[in-house]
Amino acid sequence: MPVPWFLLSLALGRSPVVVSLERLMEPQDTAHCSLGLSCHLWDGDVLCLPGSIESAPGPVLVPTRLQTELVLRCPQETDCALCVRVVVHLAVHGHWEEPEEAGKSDSELQGPRNASLQAQVVLSFQAYPIARCALLEVQVPADLVQPGQSVGSAVFDCFEAGLGAEVRIWSYTKPRYQKELNVTQQLPALPWLNVSTDGDNVLLILDVSKEQKFGFLLYWDQAQGPLKSLLYKNLTGPQNITLNHTDLVPCLCIQLWSQEPDSVRTSFCPFKKDPRAHRNLWHMARLRVQSSGSWLLDTPCSLRTEVALCWQAPDQSPCQPLVPPMPQKNVTMNRPFEFPLVKEHPNLCVQVSSWEKVELQECLWADSLGPFKDDMLLVEMKTDLNDTSVCALEPSGCTPLPSVASTRAARLGEQLLLDFRTHQCMQLWNDDDLGSLWACPMDKYIHKRWVLVWLACLLLAAALFFFLLLKKDRRKAAPRARPALLLHSADGAYYERLVGALASALSQMPLRVAVDLWSRRELTAHGALAWFHQQRRRTLQEDGVVILLFSPAAVAQCQQWLQLQTVEPGPHDALAAWLSCVLPDFLQGQATGRYVGVYFDGLLHPDTVPALFRVAPLFSLPSQLPAFLDALQGSSSQSPGRPADRAERVAQALLSALDSCT
């Protein structure tokens, strides 16, 4: 491709003066060889068919090394193209075969060894989208034929390539006696063609000299019609041009030229393989229906796509391709296409696919005919015996009618066939060879089913209402037990047995008793202080009662606090932990109605209990057990059985434990 000289100077050096590339004035390819060899270049390109490796019958000429060099092919002074010169180094491979007949003379043996060698050398060139193969005939005189020795080189001028292209070159002989040689080279690119990402923007960096004046054009390279210009500027020196990433499409191209008379414009399309550009292209693509009954695909770039009709059900399931398949066709952008001979229906849609992936779907009659209809599409297909078969198009496939399947169409198979035979369905498409498509309304079947659904819902609601009434009555008949937190001191194993007996006896009443003896695992996991705080807060929030069981150890700890004005609970000091929880309520006057104090007969005198805690009712057990139980019950709770019976059961449990303790 001819490139303006100032662009080549930008790619290969800052100033044309320092560019030292050799200029070739010949417009055609040429070849020449080093001293002693003769070369001939075949006219035109040849087929690139390396073939398989063959055994050499004797010494043969083979390529041993490839070199490339950049040159300029300039048919005119200011109109040059970047070109790749290829140098092939050649050597003699193989040896003469030993004579099998001893009777041959020396002249007969030396005859083949005094002959020249000739080879056909193929040069294969690839630089997307260009692929070429050139053939050189090289002849070596007999005096240079020495097995294993280099004989010289052949030079080919030249393979043209674009700036920034990746060039691959192979070399082999015909026939081929060894593996091909190959070399890959990246040609220099224009410095301004530097694309970088800055957040949601794309930067085009034009890095040219400060005094260089050039024109810049951003456009869509459309297959039909003239190019569509998006941005045109006359610029000087280095520039940064910002593009939004949503503006990228594969056919977005850049054109650059020198602001000199008759300058050649060079175009580049850097986003052809950019995934963002292809995603944006499908977001911009639109299907449009024209009044003439045709449609067109409106996109800025050419697309290789297929378009087909499909049937969209109201439940938003995937659009089903029509059966038998409607003819698919390749689409050219912005060119109208006629619809197949189908009647308009809101459920008929058009799918645009690329590489077997649905990229775009439009239900073209949805705006004019309203929302999707709950119609069943029946497919009537011709058979070999001049008969027809009918199936219903569903997400699972085309269900034959009648059918024993469990699909919706199978359950209504007889009714659908009756509607089809009595012409209650609308024919959408007909082909004498393939069959027909029919749309059958399902509204009447839906109404019948909704009546049954409403009856079932009413029965379910009545059953649920009756269940809630029964549950409410049961809650009234069985009131919830009142929570009670039992706090005590650790006065030895016997005393813990007495505490456990009291907690078990109280649990037989409508009380939910919490005591640390029954929650040792939680106490160890969370710590005594945290556990007592949590239990106290939960008990009081549920209108429960906290029972303080005083013992000599508990009284002594309380006296210590009243004297020292401090309590420092340790990790295993449960009594100190619960004292720190309850003391604030007594100090702030919030203990009345929430706390009850008790002690066991014979273990403690009531006068030893600190006066601070005597604001709460204080009972001696088991002598004052009935009054204690009444205080625990409160005014809002009632339990079955007589109070005397309850007191007797609790007293019996306490007396046996108290006897063992004392």
Side-chain angles (χ1 to χ4, degrees), residues 509-548:
M509 304 181 62
L511 293 173
R512 289 184 287 113
V513 180
V515 63
D516 58 348
L517 299 178
W518 297 347
S519 304
R520 294 192 185 276
R521 180 177 297 177
E522 296 181 12
L523 201 69
T524 303
H526 300 92
L529 188 62
W531 187 85
F532 283 118
H533 270 290
Q534 180 184 14
Q535 295 299 323
R536 169 195 163 277
R537 182 173 60 254
R538 183 183 301 171
T539 300
L540 297 182
Q541 285 178 350
E542 298 181 9
D543 195 25
V545 60
V546 179
I547 305 170
L548 303 180

CSV table of all heavy atoms in Angstrom, one decimal, residues 509-548:
chain,number,residue,atom,x,y,z
A,509,MET,N,-44.0,-26.0,88.7
A,509,MET,CA,-45.1,-25.0,88.6
A,509,MET,C,-45.0,-24.3,87.2
A,509,MET,O,-44.1,-24.5,86.5
A,509,MET,CB,-44.9,-24.0,89.8
A,509,MET,CG,-44.8,-24.7,91.1
A,509,MET,SD,-44.6,-23.5,92.4
A,509,MET,CE,-46.1,-22.5,92.2
A,510,PRO,N,-45.9,-23.4,87.0
A,510,PRO,CA,-45.9,-22.7,85.7
A,510,PRO,C,-44.8,-21.6,85.8
A,510,PRO,O,-45.0,-20.4,85.7
A,510,PRO,CB,-47.3,-22.1,85.5
A,510,PRO,CG,-47.8,-22.0,86.9
A,510,PRO,CD,-47.2,-23.2,87.7
A,511,LEU,N,-43.5,-22.0,85.9
A,511,LEU,CA,-42.4,-21.2,86.0
A,511,LEU,C,-41.3,-21.7,85.1
A,511,LEU,O,-41.1,-22.9,85.0
A,511,LEU,CB,-41.8,-21.0,87.4
A,511,LEU,CG,-42.7,-20.3,88.4
A,511,LEU,CD1,-42.1,-20.4,89.8
A,511,LEU,CD2,-42.9,-18.8,88.1
A,512,ARG,N,-40.6,-20.9,84.3
A,512,ARG,CA,-39.5,-21.3,83.5
A,512,ARG,C,-38.2,-20.8,84.3
A,512,ARG,O,-37.9,-19.6,84.2
A,512,ARG,CB,-39.5,-20.6,82.1
A,512,ARG,CG,-40.6,-21.2,81.2
A,512,ARG,CD,-40.6,-20.6,79.8
A,512,ARG,NE,-41.1,-19.3,79.8
A,512,ARG,CZ,-40.3,-18.2,79.5
A,512,ARG,NH1,-39.0,-18.4,79.2
A,512,ARG,NH2,-40.8,-17.0,79.5
A,513,VAL,N,-37.6,-21.8,85.0
A,513,VAL,CA,-36.5,-21.4,85.9
A,513,VAL,C,-35.2,-21.5,85.2
A,513,VAL,O,-34.9,-22.4,84.4
A,513,VAL,CB,-36.6,-22.4,87.1
A,513,VAL,CG1,-35.4,-22.1,88.1
A,513,VAL,CG2,-37.9,-22.4,87.8
A,514,ALA,N,-34.4,-20.5,85.4
A,514,ALA,CA,-33.0,-20.4,84.9
A,514,ALA,C,-32.1,-20.4,86.1
A,514,ALA,O,-32.2,-19.5,87.0
A,514,ALA,CB,-32.8,-19.2,84.0
A,515,VAL,N,-31.1,-21.3,86.1
A,515,VAL,CA,-30.1,-21.3,87.2
A,515,VAL,C,-28.8,-21.7,86.6
A,515,VAL,O,-28.7,-22.5,85.6
A,515,VAL,CB,-30.5,-22.3,88.3
A,515,VAL,CG1,-30.6,-23.7,87.8
A,515,VAL,CG2,-29.6,-22.2,89.5
A,516,ASP,N,-27.6,-21.2,87.1
A,516,ASP,CA,-26.3,-21.4,86.5
A,516,ASP,C,-25.9,-22.9,86.6
A,516,ASP,O,-25.1,-23.4,85.8
A,516,ASP,CB,-25.3,-20.5,87.2
A,516,ASP,CG,-25.2,-20.8,88.7
A,516,ASP,OD1,-26.1,-21.5,89.2
A,516,ASP,OD2,-24.2,-20.3,89.3
A,517,LEU,N,-26.5,-23.7,87.6
A,517,LEU,CA,-26.2,-25.1,87.7
A,517,LEU,C,-26.6,-25.9,86.4
A,517,LEU,O,-26.0,-26.9,86.1
A,517,LEU,CB,-26.9,-25.7,88.9
A,517,LEU,CG,-26.5,-25.1,90.3
A,517,LEU,CD1,-27.3,-25.8,91.4
A,517,LEU,CD2,-25.0,-25.3,90.5
A,518,TRP,N,-27.6,-25.4,85.7
A,518,TRP,CA,-28.1,-26.1,84.5
A,518,TRP,C,-27.5,-25.5,83.2
A,518,TRP,O,-27.8,-25.9,82.1
A,518,TRP,CB,-29.6,-26.0,84.4
A,518,TRP,CG,-30.3,-26.6,85.6
A,518,TRP,CD1,-29.8,-27.5,86.5
A,518,TRP,CD2,-31.7,-26.5,86.0
A,518,TRP,NE1,-30.7,-27.9,87.4
A,518,TRP,CE2,-31.9,-27.3,87.1
A,518,TRP,CE3,-32.7,-25.7,85.5
A,518,TRP,CZ2,-33.1,-27.4,87.7
A,518,TRP,CZ3,-34.0,-25.8,86.1
A,518,TRP,CH2,-34.2,-26.6,87.2
A,519,SER,N,-26.6,-24.5,83.3
A,519,SER,CA,-26.1,-23.9,82.1
A,519,SER,C,-24.6,-23.7,82.2
A,519,SER,O,-24.0,-22.6,81.9
A,519,SER,CB,-26.8,-22.5,81.9
A,519,SER,OG,-28.2,-22.7,81.8
A,520,ARG,N,-23.9,-24.7,82.7
A,520,ARG,CA,-22.5,-24.6,83.0
A,520,ARG,C,-21.7,-24.4,81.6
A,520,ARG,O,-20.7,-23.7,81.6
A,520,ARG,CB,-21.9,-25.8,83.7
A,520,ARG,CG,-22.5,-25.9,85.2
A,520,ARG,CD,-21.7,-26.9,86.0
A,520,ARG,NE,-22.3,-27.1,87.3
A,520,ARG,CZ,-22.0,-26.3,88.3
A,520,ARG,NH1,-21.2,-25.3,88.2
A,520,ARG,NH2,-22.5,-26.5,89.5
A,521,ARG,N,-22.1,-25.1,80.6
A,521,ARG,CA,-21.4,-24.9,79.3
A,521,ARG,C,-21.5,-23.5,78.7
A,521,ARG,O,-20.5,-22.9,78.3
A,521,ARG,CB,-22.0,-25.9,78.3
A,521,ARG,CG,-21.3,-25.9,76.9
A,521,ARG,CD,-21.9,-26.9,76.0
A,521,ARG,NE,-21.6,-28.3,76.5
A,521,ARG,CZ,-22.0,-29.4,75.9
A,521,ARG,NH1,-22.7,-29.3,74.7
A,521,ARG,NH2,-21.8,-30.5,76.4
A,522,GLU,N,-22.7,-22.9,78.8
A,522,GLU,CA,-22.9,-21.5,78.3
A,522,GLU,C,-22.1,-20.6,79.2
A,522,GLU,O,-21.5,-19.6,78.8
A,522,GLU,CB,-24.4,-21.2,78.3
A,522,GLU,CG,-25.2,-22.0,77.3
A,522,GLU,CD,-26.6,-21.5,77.3
A,522,GLU,OE1,-26.9,-20.5,77.9
A,522,GLU,OE2,-27.5,-22.2,76.7
A,523,LEU,N,-22.1,-20.9,80.6
A,523,LEU,CA,-21.4,-20.0,81.5
A,523,LEU,C,-19.9,-20.0,81.2
A,523,LEU,O,-19.3,-19.0,81.3
A,523,LEU,CB,-21.7,-20.5,82.9
A,523,LEU,CG,-21.5,-19.6,84.1
A,523,LEU,CD1,-22.6,-18.5,84.0
A,523,LEU,CD2,-21.6,-20.3,85.4
A,524,THR,N,-19.4,-21.2,80.9
A,524,THR,CA,-18.0,-21.3,80.6
A,524,THR,C,-17.6,-20.6,79.3
A,524,THR,O,-16.6,-19.9,79.1
A,524,THR,CB,-17.5,-22.7,80.5
A,524,THR,OG1,-17.9,-23.4,81.8
A,524,THR,CG2,-16.0,-22.9,80.3
A,525,ALA,N,-18.5,-20.7,78.3
A,525,ALA,CA,-18.2,-20.2,76.9
A,525,ALA,C,-18.3,-18.6,76.9
A,525,ALA,O,-17.5,-18.0,76.3
A,525,ALA,CB,-19.2,-20.7,75.9
A,526,HIS,N,-19.3,-18.1,77.6
A,526,HIS,CA,-19.5,-16.6,77.6
A,526,HIS,C,-18.9,-15.9,78.8
A,526,HIS,O,-18.8,-14.7,78.7
A,526,HIS,CB,-21.0,-16.3,77.4
A,526,HIS,CG,-21.6,-16.9,76.2
A,526,HIS,ND1,-22.3,-18.1,76.2
A,526,HIS,CD2,-21.7,-16.4,74.9
A,526,HIS,CE1,-22.7,-18.3,75.0
A,526,HIS,NE2,-22.4,-17.3,74.2
A,527,GLY,N,-18.7,-16.6,79.9
A,527,GLY,CA,-18.2,-15.9,81.1
A,527,GLY,C,-19.4,-15.6,82.0
A,527,GLY,O,-20.5,-15.4,81.6
A,528,ALA,N,-19.1,-15.6,83.3
A,528,ALA,CA,-20.2,-15.5,84.3
A,528,ALA,C,-20.9,-14.2,84.2
A,528,ALA,O,-22.1,-14.1,84.3
A,528,ALA,CB,-19.6,-15.7,85.7
A,529,LEU,N,-20.1,-13.1,84.1
A,529,LEU,CA,-20.7,-11.8,84.1
A,529,LEU,C,-21.6,-11.6,82.9
A,529,LEU,O,-22.7,-11.1,83.1
A,529,LEU,CB,-19.6,-10.7,84.1
A,529,LEU,CG,-20.0,-9.3,84.2
A,529,LEU,CD1,-20.7,-9.1,85.6
A,529,LEU,CD2,-18.8,-8.3,84.1
A,530,ALA,N,-21.2,-12.0,81.7
A,530,ALA,CA,-22.0,-11.8,80.5
A,530,ALA,C,-23.3,-12.7,80.6
A,530,ALA,O,-24.4,-12.3,80.2
A,530,ALA,CB,-21.2,-12.2,79.3
A,531,TRP,N,-23.1,-13.9,81.1
A,531,TRP,CA,-24.3,-14.8,81.2
A,531,TRP,C,-25.3,-14.3,82.2
A,531,TRP,O,-26.5,-14.2,81.9
A,531,TRP,CB,-23.8,-16.2,81.7
A,531,TRP,CG,-24.9,-17.2,81.6
A,531,TRP,CD1,-25.3,-17.9,80.5
A,531,TRP,CD2,-25.8,-17.6,82.7
A,531,TRP,NE1,-26.4,-18.8,80.8
A,531,TRP,CE2,-26.7,-18.6,82.2
A,531,TRP,CE3,-25.9,-17.2,84.0
A,531,TRP,CZ2,-27.7,-19.2,83.0
A,531,TRP,CZ3,-26.9,-17.8,84.8
A,531,TRP,CH2,-27.8,-18.8,84.3
A,532,PHE,N,-24.9,-13.8,83.4
A,532,PHE,CA,-25.9,-13.2,84.4
A,532,PHE,C,-26.6,-12.0,83.8
A,532,PHE,O,-27.8,-11.8,84.0
A,532,PHE,CB,-25.2,-13.0,85.7
A,532,PHE,CG,-24.9,-14.2,86.5
A,532,PHE,CD1,-23.6,-14.6,86.8
A,532,PHE,CD2,-26.0,-15.0,86.9
A,532,PHE,CE1,-23.4,-15.7,87.5
A,532,PHE,CE2,-25.7,-16.2,87.7
A,532,PHE,CZ,-24.4,-16.5,88.0
A,533,HIS,N,-25.8,-11.1,83.2
A,533,HIS,CA,-26.4,-9.9,82.6
A,533,HIS,C,-27.5,-10.3,81.6
A,533,HIS,O,-28.6,-9.7,81.5
A,533,HIS,CB,-25.3,-9.0,81.9
A,533,HIS,CG,-24.7,-8.0,82.9
A,533,HIS,ND1,-25.4,-6.9,83.3
A,533,HIS,CD2,-23.5,-8.0,83.4
A,533,HIS,CE1,-24.6,-6.2,84.1
A,533,HIS,NE2,-23.4,-6.9,84.2
A,534,GLN,N,-27.2,-11.2,80.7
A,534,GLN,CA,-28.1,-11.6,79.6
A,534,GLN,C,-29.4,-12.2,80.3
A,534,GLN,O,-30.5,-11.9,79.9
A,534,GLN,CB,-27.5,-12.6,78.7
A,534,GLN,CG,-28.4,-13.1,77.6
A,534,GLN,CD,-27.7,-14.1,76.7
A,534,GLN,OE1,-26.7,-14.7,77.1
A,534,GLN,NE2,-28.3,-14.4,75.6
A,535,GLN,N,-29.2,-13.1,81.2
A,535,GLN,CA,-30.4,-13.8,81.9
A,535,GLN,C,-31.3,-12.8,82.6
A,535,GLN,O,-32.5,-12.8,82.6
A,535,GLN,CB,-29.9,-14.9,82.8
A,535,GLN,CG,-29.2,-16.1,82.1
A,535,GLN,CD,-30.1,-16.8,81.1
A,535,GLN,OE1,-31.3,-16.9,81.3
A,535,GLN,NE2,-29.6,-17.2,80.0
A,536,ARG,N,-30.6,-11.8,83.3
A,536,ARG,CA,-31.4,-10.8,84.1
A,536,ARG,C,-32.2,-10.0,83.1
A,536,ARG,O,-33.4,-9.7,83.3
A,536,ARG,CB,-30.4,-10.0,84.9
A,536,ARG,CG,-31.1,-8.7,85.5
A,536,ARG,CD,-30.1,-7.7,86.0
A,536,ARG,NE,-30.7,-6.4,86.2
A,536,ARG,CZ,-30.9,-5.5,85.2
A,536,ARG,NH1,-30.5,-5.8,84.0
A,536,ARG,NH2,-31.4,-4.4,85.5
A,537,ARG,N,-31.6,-9.5,82.0
A,537,ARG,CA,-32.3,-8.7,81.1
A,537,ARG,C,-33.4,-9.4,80.4
A,537,ARG,O,-34.5,-8.8,80.3
A,537,ARG,CB,-31.3,-8.2,80.0
A,537,ARG,CG,-31.9,-7.2,79.0
A,537,ARG,CD,-30.9,-6.6,78.0
A,537,ARG,NE,-30.2,-7.7,77.3
A,537,ARG,CZ,-29.0,-8.1,77.5
A,537,ARG,NH1,-28.3,-7.5,78.4
A,537,ARG,NH2,-28.4,-9.0,76.7
A,538,ARG,N,-33.2,-10.6,80.0
A,538,ARG,CA,-34.3,-11.4,79.4
A,538,ARG,C,-35.5,-11.7,80.4
A,538,ARG,O,-36.6,-11.6,80.0
A,538,ARG,CB,-33.7,-12.7,78.9
A,538,ARG,CG,-34.8,-13.6,78.2
A,538,ARG,CD,-34.1,-14.9,77.7
A,538,ARG,NE,-33.0,-14.7,76.9
A,538,ARG,CZ,-32.1,-15.7,76.5
A,538,ARG,NH1,-32.3,-16.9,77.0
A,538,ARG,NH2,-31.1,-15.4,75.7
A,539,THR,N,-35.1,-12.0,81.7
A,539,THR,CA,-36.2,-12.3,82.6
A,539,THR,C,-37.1,-11.1,82.9
A,539,THR,O,-38.3,-11.1,82.9
A,539,THR,CB,-35.6,-12.8,83.9
A,539,THR,OG1,-34.8,-14.0,83.7
A,539,THR,CG2,-36.6,-13.1,85.0
A,540,LEU,N,-36.4,-9.9,83.1
A,540,LEU,CA,-37.2,-8.7,83.4
A,540,LEU,C,-37.9,-8.2,82.2
A,540,LEU,O,-39.0,-7.6,82.3
A,540,LEU,CB,-36.2,-7.6,83.9
A,540,LEU,CG,-35.5,-8.0,85.3
A,540,LEU,CD1,-34.6,-6.8,85.7
A,540,LEU,CD2,-36.5,-8.3,86.4
A,541,GLN,N,-37.4,-8.4,81.0
A,541,GLN,CA,-38.1,-7.9,79.8
A,541,GLN,C,-39.4,-8.8,79.6
A,541,GLN,O,-40.4,-8.2,79.0
A,541,GLN,CB,-37.2,-8.1,78.5
A,541,GLN,CG,-36.2,-7.0,78.5
A,541,GLN,CD,-35.3,-7.2,77.2
A,541,GLN,OE1,-35.3,-8.2,76.6
A,541,GLN,NE2,-34.4,-6.2,77.0
A,542,GLU,N,-39.4,-10.0,80.0
A,542,GLU,CA,-40.6,-10.9,79.9
A,542,GLU,C,-41.5,-10.9,81.1
A,542,GLU,O,-42.2,-11.8,81.4
A,542,GLU,CB,-40.2,-12.3,79.5
A,542,GLU,CG,-39.4,-12.4,78.2
A,542,GLU,CD,-39.0,-13.8,77.9
A,542,GLU,OE1,-39.5,-14.7,78.6
A,542,GLU,OE2,-38.2,-14.0,76.9
A,543,ASP,N,-41.4,-9.8,82.0
A,543,ASP,CA,-42.2,-9.6,83.2
A,543,ASP,C,-41.9,-10.8,84.1
A,543,ASP,O,-42.9,-11.3,84.8
A,543,ASP,CB,-43.6,-9.5,82.8
A,543,ASP,CG,-44.5,-9.0,84.0
A,543,ASP,OD1,-43.9,-8.3,84.9
A,543,ASP,OD2,-45.7,-9.3,84.1
A,544,GLY,N,-40.7,-11.3,84.3
A,544,GLY,CA,-40.4,-12.3,85.2
A,544,GLY,C,-39.9,-11.8,86.5
A,544,GLY,O,-40.1,-10.6,86.9
A,545,VAL,N,-39.4,-12.7,87.3
A,545,VAL,CA,-39.0,-12.4,88.7
A,545,VAL,C,-37.6,-13.0,88.9
A,545,VAL,O,-37.2,-14.1,88.4
A,545,VAL,CB,-39.9,-13.0,89.7
A,545,VAL,CG1,-40.1,-14.5,89.6
A,545,VAL,CG2,-39.6,-12.5,91.1
A,546,VAL,N,-36.7,-12.2,89.7
A,546,VAL,CA,-35.4,-12.6,90.0
A,546,VAL,C,-35.4,-13.0,91.5
A,546,VAL,O,-35.8,-12.2,92.4
A,546,VAL,CB,-34.3,-11.5,89.8
A,546,VAL,CG1,-32.9,-12.0,90.2
A,546,VAL,CG2,-34.4,-11.1,88.3
A,547,ILE,N,-35.0,-14.3,91.8
A,547,ILE,CA,-35.0,-14.8,93.1
A,547,ILE,C,-33.5,-14.8,93.7
A,547,ILE,O,-32.6,-15.4,93.1
A,547,ILE,CB,-35.5,-16.3,93.2
A,547,ILE,CG1,-36.9,-16.4,92.5
A,547,ILE,CG2,-35.5,-16.8,94.6
A,547,ILE,CD1,-37.3,-17.8,92.3
A,548,LEU,N,-33.3,-14.0,94.8
A,548,LEU,CA,-32.0,-13.9,95.4
A,548,LEU,C,-32.0,-14.9,96.6
A,548,LEU,O,-32.7,-14.7,97.6
A,548,LEU,CB,-31.8,-12.5,95.9
A,548,LEU,CG,-31.8,-11.4,94.9
A,548,LEU,CD1,-31.5,-10.0,95.5
A,548,LEU,CD2,-30.9,-11.7,93.8
